[in-house]
Amino acid sequence: MNYQELLESARGKIAPQCRVCKECNGVVCRGEIPGTGGKGSGAAFKICLDFLSSVKIKLDTIYENKGQDTSVSLFGQTFKYPFFVAPIGGMNLNYNGAITEREYDEAVVFGANKAGTAAFTGDGANDSFFLDSLPVIKEAGGKAVPTIKPWKNEKVFEKVKLLEEAGAMAFAMDIDSAGLINLALAGKPVSAKSVEELSEITKFTKVPFIVKGVMTAEGAKKALEAGAYGIVVSSHGGRVLEHAAATCSVLPEIREAVGDKLKIFVDGGIRSGADVFKAIALGADAALIGRPYVIAAFGGGAEGVEFYTEKIGAELRDIMIMSGCKDLSDITIDKVIL
Ligand SMILES: Cc1cc2nc3c(=O)[nH]c(=O)nc-3n(C[C@H](O)[C@H](O)[C@H](O)COP(=O)(O)O)c2cc1C
């Protein structure tokens, strides 16, 4: 399989919700929710890609070559690359149902694990989005991160018990789904959560908790106060607020505010190993990639996901060679030009 064949194979299956564009930037699918686009004009999706392409990497190949180590330690485990599959739910709702929720979860969880990384899985208006991932996560020995919507805490606790039984290594909550049109349309009660409500969740379980959808230094400090393990700097791929900032642009101030006390993930328009490098240079511990993994899963199942992971990983290694970075600790903000 090569990448073009993977895209071609997906193109036949994923239409019309995703057109498998040359650059997955939210222009053609703008406003398509349910679907795969960003809210309204799609500006909050596009701005992420525009910001990332404006960041340049400094070339430096005068150094003692000791090889490149792309690995990252998180959740007490080591992963081969510092990027993961972002949670995407709703194969029927947002795509055409050509693969089921369970088949999607199998593709991303097993495919990412095979490549030495891991997948986050989604949640949604239909409980099956969350429930279908659990047997897959269990089969994978817990090497995945289920994500729960900001339901009322009693419902969150029920879901946390289930993910504990499945042995999940961590779990997330996309707190920004408080603004998701899909859920409002389905009449499902999600809402913003106070620091106290988030603290109740971290006290309820020992499983590391990640708050997804933080976009400010203040928000990061609140997640820290609530006892979170980490945050995902995310605007839900531009799906919740048309006027959100580029996610990677707010990384430096967030890192400065919380130091090393929180693990910082970021998503939104990460499309290459160079983008992963830029995200880490700006302050992230790891990146998440969403929509391109759906294309990989539709195009080639678990094998497609594994292939795509190795492609992005090889690009990252190449950039590290060209910028004099032997491991992730060398990828600092002075390696990029803003
Ligand atoms: C169709 C679709 C469904 C999504 N479902 C979820 C979800 O269930 N939970 C969640 O936290 N994020 C969800 N997201 C957001 C993604 O996890 C991610 O934040 C976003 O797609 C940005 O990354 P990308 O630009 O690489 O796609 C969804 C995004 C899309 C496009």
Side-chain angles (χ1 to χ4, degrees):
M1 180 192 330
N2 66 38
Y3 191 47
Q4 282 316 314
E5 285 164 359
L6 184 66
L7 296 181
E8 247 350 283
S9 160
R11 197 166 274 126
K13 293 184 199 144
I14 203 171
Q17 287 83 353
C18 170
R19 285 72 151 187
V20 192
C21 300
K22 205 164 173 212
E23 180 183 65
C24 172
N25 58 13
V27 172
V28 174
C29 58
R30 61 168 113 34
E32 295 181 7
I33 307 175
T36 188
K39 197 172 187 175
S41 66
F45 182 167
K46 180 78 169 43
I47 199 177
C48 288
L49 283 104
D50 291 345
F51 174 78
L52 279 165
S53 71
S54 76
V55 176
K56 303 298 173 200
I57 297 167
K58 291 185 191 168
L59 184 148
D60 174 14
T61 48
I62 304 180
Y63 60 90
E64 188 189 346
N65 182 17
K66 292 183 179 160
Q68 272 65 42
D69 177 3
T70 57
S71 69
V72 65
S73 293
L74 290 161
F75 323 115
Q77 306 192 34
T78 302
F79 298 91
K80 188 173 169 193
Y81 300 120
F83 59 89
F84 299 91
V85 183
I88 300 259
M91 291 304 119
N92 254 317
L93 180 72
N94 294 306
Y95 295 91
N96 59 16
I99 59 176
T100 63
E101 213 68 32
R102 169 81 183 243
E103 285 166 339
Y104 179 70
D105 291 333
E106 285 174 348
V108 292
V109 171
F110 298 148
N113 282 177
K114 198 127 185 273
T117 66
F120 286 53
T121 56
D123 191 7
N126 186 330
D127 267 343
S128 73
F129 294 5
F130 177 83
L131 298 175
D132 287 3
S133 70
L134 298 175
V136 182
I137 293 173
K138 193 166 190 174
E139 197 179 331
K143 224 172 185 178
V145 184
T147 307
I148 303 175
K149 298 276 176 215
W151 315 114
K152 285 198 187 329
N153 269 7
E154 301 79 71
K155 186 161 180 188
V156 172
F157 297 152
E158 282 169 25
K159 291 197 163 182
V160 171
K161 277 191 208 146
L162 294 174
L163 69 87
E164 281 177 338
E165 279 162 29
M169 64 181 176
F171 72 108
M173 172 175 286
D174 46 330
I175 193 91
D176 59 339
S177 278
L180 198 59
I181 294 172
N182 275 354
L183 297 170
L185 291 176
K188 293 281 180 167
V190 283
S191 65
K193 285 203 182 288
S194 65
V195 172
E196 289 68 31
E197 286 168 306
L198 291 177
S199 301
E200 281 174 27
I201 298 170
T202 59
K203 284 182 190 133
F204 183 80
T205 181
K206 290 196 170 63
V207 183
F209 178 51
I210 298 167
V211 183
K212 177 171 181 278
V214 173
M215 286 291 287
T216 61
E218 293 71 30
K221 283 190 209 159
K222 288 186 220 172
L224 184 60
E225 193 187 333
Y229 171 84
I231 56 170
V232 185
V233 176
S234 173
S235 68
H236 223 102
R239 290 164 79 76
V240 290
L241 175 65
E242 189 178 344
H243 305 279
T247 48
C248 283
S249 73
V250 297
L251 282 172
E253 66 197 63
I254 291 180
R255 176 57 82 192
E256 182 160 354
V258 297
D260 288 333
K261 292 182 193 136
L262 272 183
K263 296 294 178 193
I264 302 178
F265 300 80
V266 65
D267 72 17
I270 308 278
R271 298 291 178 263
S272 63
D275 289 344
V276 175
F277 181 98
K278 292 173 188 179
I280 292 172
L282 292 170
D285 291 290
L288 309 185
I289 301 175
R291 296 164 177 101
Y293 267 119
V294 184
I295 295 172
F298 269 79
E303 208 188 314
V305 168
E306 183 187 358
F307 178 90
Y308 183 73
T309 304
E310 291 296 356
K311 172 183 164 359
I312 301 292
E315 290 169 3
L316 171 64
R317 181 172 284 114
D318 188 41
I319 300 284
M320 288 171 71
I321 293 171
M322 297 310 296
S323 59
C325 297
K326 71 177 177 325
D327 59 29
L328 301 188
S329 70
D330 288 338
I331 308 180
T332 48
I333 199 155
D334 60 321
K335 294 289 192 302
V336 294
I337 303 165
L338 290 168

